[in-house]
Each structure stands twice: as C-alpha cells, then as structure tokens.
Amino acid sequence: MKNFFDNTEIAFKLKSDSELERAYFLFKMIAHQPLVRIGTAVTHFAIKAHLPVEGLIRATVFDHFCGGVSELDCMKTVDAIHTAGVCSVLDYSVEGKETEEEFDAVVARTLKLIDFVKEKQAIPFAVFKPTAMGRFDLYVKVGEGETLTSEEEEEWDRVKKRFNTVCEKASELGVSLLIDAEESWMQTAADAIVEEMMRIYNKERAVVYNTLQLYRWDRLDYLKELHKRAKKEGFIIGMKFVRGAYMEKEHDRAEEKGYSTPICASKKITDDNFNEAVHYMMDNLDSMVLFLGTHNEESTLLVLSIMEEKGIAKNDDRVWFGQLYGMSDHISYNLANREYNVAKYLPFGPVRDVMPYLIRRAEENTSVAGQTTRELTLLSTERKRRKL
C-alpha cells in the first residue's frame, strides 16, 4: 500500500512547471535552518520598517503556503484543488489579537465565512483558534481555577458567548467547525468550552471538533474520559488529531515553573500515543468522528488499514484526512485520487498579518525530522519526470 504515496504525477498534477520550481526552491531554502532564521529576521525587520517586501513575499512563500488575502481571493485555489477531489478548510490566519474589539471582529469574520462556505461543497469546514475569541491570560486563569474579578467574569462570559454564536451558526447552516488546540496551560479552559459546545450542538452530527495534541501524554486519558461523558449525555465527539506544535515552549515553561513536562518523552512514545488514540477512535466511530491532521505517512496508512479491516467505506464521512496547503501533496492528492475524504488547511489574510503564521510554519517544518527531505525528494522526482 505504501508506494501509492510515491506517485508524484498525481501529487503535483495541479502544479505548473514554474510552481514546481518555486516549491523546490522554497523547500531547499527551508532545508537550511540558518537560512530560515536569517529569512525570518530579515522579514520581521522589513515588515516593521515598512519596506516594500510584500510583493516578493506574495510571489514566493505566501502564494505557496496560503490561499490568498481574502475569502474571494482563495476561491481560485479552492476550485482548482477540488477538481482533484481535495476540499478546503479556510483558515483566517491572523494571530496575536488582544482586545475585545478584535475578538468581536473575529466572530463577525467567522460568521461571514460560515455564510460564505455553506453553499460550497468544496469547503465543508470552518476553523478558529480559542485565542481568537478571548485573551490568552484569561484562559490560563480560568484553567488554573483562579478566582476571577467581576470584570473578568463578564469577560469570560463574553468569550463563551462568542463560541456559542459561531457554533450555533455552523449548526444552522450545516458547516462543521474545527477548533484548534494551543498551549497546554490555556487548553484546559478551552477544552471545557468546546465540550460544552459539543454537548449542545453535536446531538445529531459532529458540528464541533476539538483538537488533541498527541505529543501530550495525558491526551488519550482525556479522550477516554470525554467519551464516557459523551455516551452518558448523548452527544457525538468530533476530534481532530495532530501531533502538536508548541514543544519547545511547553518544555521551557515546565522547566521555568518546576512541573513535569506535558510532552511525551520521545518521538516513539508520541507516535505510539498517536496510534493508540487512532485505534480508540476508529473502534468507536458510532459515537466519534475523526479528522486526522497529519503529514505522517505511517499514521495515515494505519487509518487506511483499519478502515479496510473494518470494512469502512473510503468516503465515510466519519473519517477525514487533512494536511496544510503547500505541504505533503503526495499524501493529499494520492488519497483523494483513491476517493478518501481529504481537506487542505488553506490559510488566508493580509500578507503582513499572516507573516507570523508563515514564519512559525517554516520554523516548525525545519524541526520535523525528514519532512523537508521527503518534500525535496518527491519534488526532485517530479522535476526529473517532467525533464525540467
């Protein structure tokens, strides 16, 4: 089964020769960590100094990893990848908001996005981060059980209302919502709100999906406890699985505050944790729905083999596979070619505002062992096949 991911003709069939060359150039750059650091520093400086770098960024890294600057700007990409059977998750990737006005603006934007995607078969999901709806420090305080001031109580009520407003709209219009996970020390409070939303809106179908970062050793136990509550109270669990994206921050904070790191002790233990959680969900698809957010071929193949073993149809709506736009096309397009449910996360937003997201992605991907090498090998194979 494994070799079907090696089909580069299917993986890159939507890329023109010039787009293929751009991808090859970008991943060669990313393969050199110091280059990423230099590029990151230069980009930060240029943007802060208002130097005219947006055109260059747009023509290279932005257009490779992002769908566009607005929802409408994304539609060309959404429609193009849907011709190959790949759906899109539009992700407004502007980060670092802190004020009530900014949070309300995100709600308005998300509601507009849900309206926008409701008629589009190509966009079955919307997505947001908990900290797009409320202050990071407030989540921390609530999660750690600290007493809130009366102003903070009101502020927390507004956060919950924002979640509810968005989830209610998604439920009404038949769109599903993927809610991202963030740092462990704010996640407890976010989990509580998302569970409450599942309790209200996931009675008939999975409208609301939480995210499990399975490099955390406690997440499988959390899932099992959540499942007990879901069975008792009669709601469906929607869950996106990822390995996780905040490892260095997690280790640093644990060391600084003197508690045990929440991260698994090794890559192998993380992989075992991920696979065990996959088995658990696949054994309970009567009351759970899985969105497998991974660029890991072994994890993807594990789910495919379980589906085959259990006689689960390839297009069964309870199992989705997701990758980031601009990465792991060999997984996405080869899966879609075999009629599995696949969606690409398509970040969008103003070039200047989306740069923190792009820089983080570049940094994350240089730290994933073998990821960049695999991308480069496949791109090289396709360049040779096209005689470029």
Side-chain angles (χ1 to χ4, degrees):
M1 190 186 258
K2 179 152 189 169
N3 286 345
F4 85 80
F5 286 145
D6 293 334
N7 188 324
T8 61
E9 186 176 359
I10 289 171
F12 301 118
K13 71 176 175 183
L14 296 183
K15 284 200 187 323
S16 65
D17 289 353
S18 63
E19 286 169 338
L20 192 75
E21 293 290 66
R22 179 182 68 191
Y24 184 69
F25 166 76
L26 283 172
F27 280 106
K28 276 196 93 157
M29 291 275 287
I30 288 171
H32 297 284
Q33 283 203 34
L35 271 181
V36 171
R37 290 200 194 102
I38 293 162
T40 298
V42 169
T43 304
H44 272 314
F45 170 75
I47 283 177
K48 275 189 176 161
H50 297 282
L51 297 177
V53 290
E54 289 194 16
L56 176 65
I57 293 166
R58 176 88 214 238
T60 53
V61 67
F62 186 92
D63 279 355
H64 180 80
F65 289 109
C66 296
V69 295
S70 67
E71 295 92 338
L72 279 174
D73 195 26
C74 291
M75 290 320 298
K76 188 177 166 197
T77 301
V78 168
D79 291 338
I81 69 176
H82 200 236
T83 62
V86 174
C87 292
S88 296
V89 181
L90 290 189
D91 183 6
Y92 186 59
S93 298
V94 174
E95 300 183 342
K97 301 305 179 195
E98 279 290 314
T99 69
E100 294 292 292
E101 294 72 26
E102 287 170 326
F103 299 140
D104 288 338
V106 170
V107 172
R109 177 127 215 164
T110 309
L111 294 175
K112 183 180 152 198
L113 184 60
I114 292 167
D115 264 328
F116 182 76
V117 305
K118 71 170 192 278
E119 303 300 335
K120 296 289 294 184
Q121 200 185 353
I123 314 174
F125 297 96
V127 63
F128 67 87
K129 289 174 74 158
T131 51
M133 302 275 167
R135 270 190 316 119
F136 185 96
D137 289 346
L138 187 62
Y139 283 101
V140 176
K141 205 166 175 184
V142 171
E144 290 178 350
E146 289 184 36
T147 305
L148 303 185
T149 65
S150 56
E151 289 85 359
E152 286 170 337
E153 290 276 11
E154 286 172 15
E155 188 185 352
W156 187 240
D157 282 341
R158 289 194 295 274
V159 175
K160 291 192 280 193
K161 275 183 186 140
R162 290 185 191 113
F163 270 79
N164 190 62
T165 301
V166 172
C167 293
E168 186 175 35
K169 178 88 162 190
S171 179
E172 280 170 16
L173 298 185
V175 175
S176 291
L177 277 175
L178 299 166
I179 301 173
D180 285 339
E182 300 185 62
E183 291 89 340
S184 63
W185 57 99
M186 64 73 62
Q187 192 60 41
T188 304
D191 286 342
I193 301 186
V194 178
E195 181 176 336
E196 185 55 33
M197 294 301 103
M198 283 189 201
R199 199 172 272 115
I200 299 167
Y201 297 108
N202 285 16
K203 294 287 190 192
E204 306 295 325
R205 68 177 191 91
V207 175
V208 181
Y209 288 64
N210 203 356
T211 300
L212 276 199
Q213 301 193 101
L214 286 156
Y215 66 178
R216 284 182 57 180
W217 51 261
D218 66 343
R219 294 290 81 188
L220 180 55
D221 287 339
Y222 165 77
L223 179 64
K224 289 176 179 176
E225 289 303 316
L226 176 64
H227 190 212
K228 280 181 199 166
R229 295 192 291 275
K231 283 193 289 193
K232 191 175 164 190
E233 297 173 43
F235 63 90
I236 297 162
I237 293 173
M239 201 61 78
K240 180 176 75 163
F241 279 9
V242 297
R243 273 171 171 74
Y246 302 94
M247 186 152 69
E248 282 174 19
K249 275 168 112 175
E250 293 284 356
H251 285 321
D252 290 348
R253 187 176 190 269
E255 196 175 321
E256 182 196 320
K257 302 266 185 187
Y259 61 82
S260 302
T261 178
I263 306 298
C264 291
S266 68
K267 172 75 166 69
K268 178 169 191 317
I269 295 170
T270 299
D271 290 341
D272 291 345
N273 196 40
F274 193 99
N275 293 346
E276 203 181 329
V278 162
H279 278 289
Y280 186 82
M281 279 201 82
M282 295 299 288
D283 285 342
N284 289 287
L285 284 183
D286 56 328
S287 54
M288 293 180 156
V289 179
L290 174 63
F291 186 104
L292 194 82
T294 187
H295 295 201
N296 184 297
E297 291 170 35
E298 299 302 328
S299 296
T300 307
L301 290 167
L302 171 65
V303 175
L304 300 189
S305 67
I306 295 170
M307 288 175 80
E308 198 174 323
E309 185 190 303
K310 290 181 178 290
I312 297 165
K314 290 179 176 180
N315 63 350
D316 190 307
D317 215 34
R318 296 170 299 175
V319 184
W320 278 81
F321 299 87
Q323 290 79 41
L324 295 165
Y325 182 66
M327 287 179 58
S328 298
D329 288 346
H330 64 296
I331 296 177
S332 309
Y333 291 99
N334 281 303
L335 281 176
N337 187 58
R338 293 179 173 228
E339 299 182 341
Y340 290 96
N341 297 320
V342 184
K344 283 285 201 188
Y345 253 63
L346 207 60
F348 74 96
V351 175
R352 191 172 287 270
D353 293 340
V354 173
M355 280 317 294
Y357 166 90
L358 285 178
I359 287 164
R360 200 178 75 242
R361 282 283 170 248
E363 287 169 341
E364 274 172 30
N365 291 316
T366 55
S367 68
V368 176
Q371 174 74 43
T372 305
T373 310
R374 178 71 166 137
E375 298 277 1
L376 275 171
T377 303
L378 291 158
L379 288 161
S380 297
T381 303
E382 182 60 10
R383 287 171 82 235
K384 281 180 194 144
R385 195 189 70 78
R386 294 189 193 187
K387 301 183 171 63
L388 294 179

